[in-house]
Amino acid sequence: MHTKKQRFKLICCQGGWFILIELVLLAVPCPSLLAQKSSDSSRVLQKVTVTAEKKQNTFVSIVPVQLLNHEALQQINAQSIADAAKYFSGVLMKDYGGIGGLKTISVRSLGGLNTGLVYDGITVADAQTGQVDLSKFSATFVQSLELDQVNPQQILMPARIYSSASILSFTSNTYNATNFSQKKWLVGLNAGSFGLWQPSAGFYLPVSKKMVVSANGEAVWSNGNYPYYIDNGSFSRKADRSNSDIRSFQGEVNTMNQFADSSTLQTKVWGYYSDRGLPGSIIFFNDISVQRLEDKNFFIQSRYLKKISESTSLLISAKYSSLYTRYTDPNFLNNAGGLDDRYTQNEIYGSVAVSHRFGKYILMSLASDAASTRLSANIIQFPGPTRVSLWNSLALQFSKSHWQVNASLLNTNINDQTKTGTAMSDRNRFTPAIAVAYKVNPESPFLFRLFYKDIFRMPTFNDLYYTYNVNIFPKLLPEYSNQYNAGITYSKNFKSALRQFSLSLDAYYNMIKDKIVAVPSQNLFIWTMENLGRVQIKGVDVNAEANGNFSTVTRWSARIAYTWQQALDVTNPASSEYKNEIPYTPEHSGSALAVFYYKNWSAGYSMIFSGLRYTLGENDPSNQLPGWNTQDLSIGRQIIFRECRTTIKAEVNNIFNERYDVIHYYPMPGRSYKLTITINNL
C-alpha cells in the first residue's frame, strides 16, 4: 500500500509574550538570518511547505494493532518508549520508580519475555534476561511506536520476529529514504523535577543524491530523589527516595544508500551507557540502598532491500551486538565483602527473507535466521553458556474482495552448550499462526477478525544458569502458550467537526503451560524463577480514536484504551492458589489522551489508571495493592522565525500528586514538572 502525503502551510507569526525568546533566537545560526542586514526595517518571509506522512489507520488491520505517531509521542510527555507503551491497551508495565528505574513490558499477561522488541526492522534481544529495559530507548527521535498482536502486517521480514506473541516496534525519524536533498537538524533540552536534565541533538545530512547520513544523541542526568510517604499508622512519615540517580547517554549514526536499481542499504550504529542506582524496596527504619548497575550496550545492524522483479523482493539483515553489565552490592554478605558481578553478552545474527506474489491475491514469504549468543562473567565456575538459535518461517497472505487471510509456520531450533555444568536439552518445535478478517463489502466501516497463534519460549540464561539459582534450573521447564482472539472494528470518515472515528473491541483467551514468572527476591538484580504450571488468561481490549477540527485554525484529537483482564493460576485444583489471580495483574486498566490545537498553541491531557492487584499468588486481602490513576497536563507553543522553528512546552505530571506503587514497596514519583525547548530547521 502506497503511503499518502499531506502538505501543511506553516504561517510565520510572532507572539508578544515570546519577544524575549525570539530575540535570543537571533543568535541561532540559521542561514537566512546571516544573510539579513541589520538596517532592515521590514522583512518578507518566505512560505515554507513541510511534507509529513499521513497517520496509518490501524483499525482496518487483520490483527489488533495500536500505533502512536511522533505527534502523539510528544503530547503524552513520553521520555522513553516505556512511558509511551503504557498507553496501549492490554499492556502491563513493570516500573520500579524514578527516571532510572527498570521498566519492562508484558502484553496480555503473557510476560515480558513473550514481547519482541524491534528497532528499525531488526530485533533487539537480550538472551541473558529475555527482556529489554525499555527506558534505554528515548522517544525523542522516534517517528512511530507500534504494538502488533501475533505478527506485523508486513510479510517480508526476518523469521525471528515471528517467534514472539506480540511485537513492540519503533522506527527512528532519521532512518528513512523520503528525502535525499533536504538538510535537517534539531537541538533540544528537557529540564524538570528531581534534578532532571536531558539535552539532545540530531541532524539529517544528504551527502549525495543517493546517500544520506543522520545522527542523534541524548544524555540524561537526574538525582531521582523524589519525596514519598510511608503509611504505617503512628509511625507514618515522609521521606526522599535514595539511590535513584542516573547518568546515561545514547547515540546512533545511520546511513542510507539508494542504488541505481532502487535497492537500499540501511546501516545503524547504536550505543548506550548508563550508571544508575537501584532503589531498594521500602523497609521501615531501613531505607539504605547501595546497589549500582552499569550498562554499556552497542550494536551495529544493516538491512539490504532489493526488488528483484515486479513480484519478487529480497531482504537481507545482519547484526552484531555487545551488552556489558556490571552489578555491585557492597552490602551483600559473602566472603568477598560484597558483589561485583560483570557480564558480557555477544551476539551475531543474520537473516535472509524472500517474498513472491502469485497472481493478484496471494503473497508468500520465506525467511531463515541464525543467531549465536554467548554469555561470559567474572564469577567463579560460571557455566559460560552459548546458545545457537535457528528460525525458519513460511508465511502466506491472501487478500480478495471481502476476505483477508494471513498464515505462518515457524520452526525454532535451539541448542545450548556450557563450559561447566549441565546445559538445557535441545529444543525443536513448529509453531503455527493464522488470522482471518472479513468485510461485508469494501466500503463497509465494519471489520470482523479472528486469530490463533501457538507460542514456544525457552528459558533465558539467567533462568537457567545464574549462580544463585543453580539449584532451581533443573526444575525449570520451557513455556508453551496458545492465543485466541475474536474482534470487531469500526472506522469511518466524516465531513464535519468530527473528521474520523474508529473503534475496536477484541476478546481474547490465552492458555499457558509451565508459565515462567520472575519475582524480585533479594534486590532488583537477583530474581527467583518459577513455573506456575498452567495459567488461564481471559480479557477484552477496547480502543477508540477520534479527530476533527472546529475551524481552519483549530483541531483536536482524542484516544482511549481500556482492558478488562483475568489471569488465573489453574495448575492444581487442590492448591490454595487454584483460580487465584497471578501477581500484578489488575482486572481493569486503561488510558486516555486528548489534544487541542489552536494556531501555534497546543494543550494536552493524558491519564493512565490501573485497578487493584495482588502481589503474591495467594489472593489474600493482605496481599492487595490498591489501584491508582495519574493525570498529566501540558501546554505548548511553536514559534516560527525565518527558517527555524522553536517549540516550548510546559508539563505537569501526576497533577493530583497520586501516591501509588506499580511494584509493591517501590513507590512512584508524585507531582513533577518539566519544561521542554526544541529548535529545528523547517
Side-chain angles (χ1 to χ4, degrees), residues 52 193 198-199 226 298 303 354 401 414 427 437 460 511 514 534 554 560 575 578 586 597:
S193 302
Q198 187 179 8
Y226 54 88
F298 164 84
R303 298 174 74 237
V354 179
S401 184
I414 297 180
R427 299 290 168 174
T460 66
M511 177 58 75
D514 297 326
R534 296 174 66 86
T554 59
I560 62 169
S575 170
Y578 182 66
Y597 302 90

Side-chain angles (χ1 to χ4, degrees), residues 140-161:
T140 302
F141 296 97
V142 171
Q143 186 66 25
S144 65
L145 179 67
E146 183 174 313
L147 178 63
D148 298 80
Q149 300 295 337
V150 187
N151 301 321
Q153 297 303 285
Q154 183 180 357
I155 194 170
L156 182 60
M157 61 182 181
R160 188 178 195 171
I161 296 179

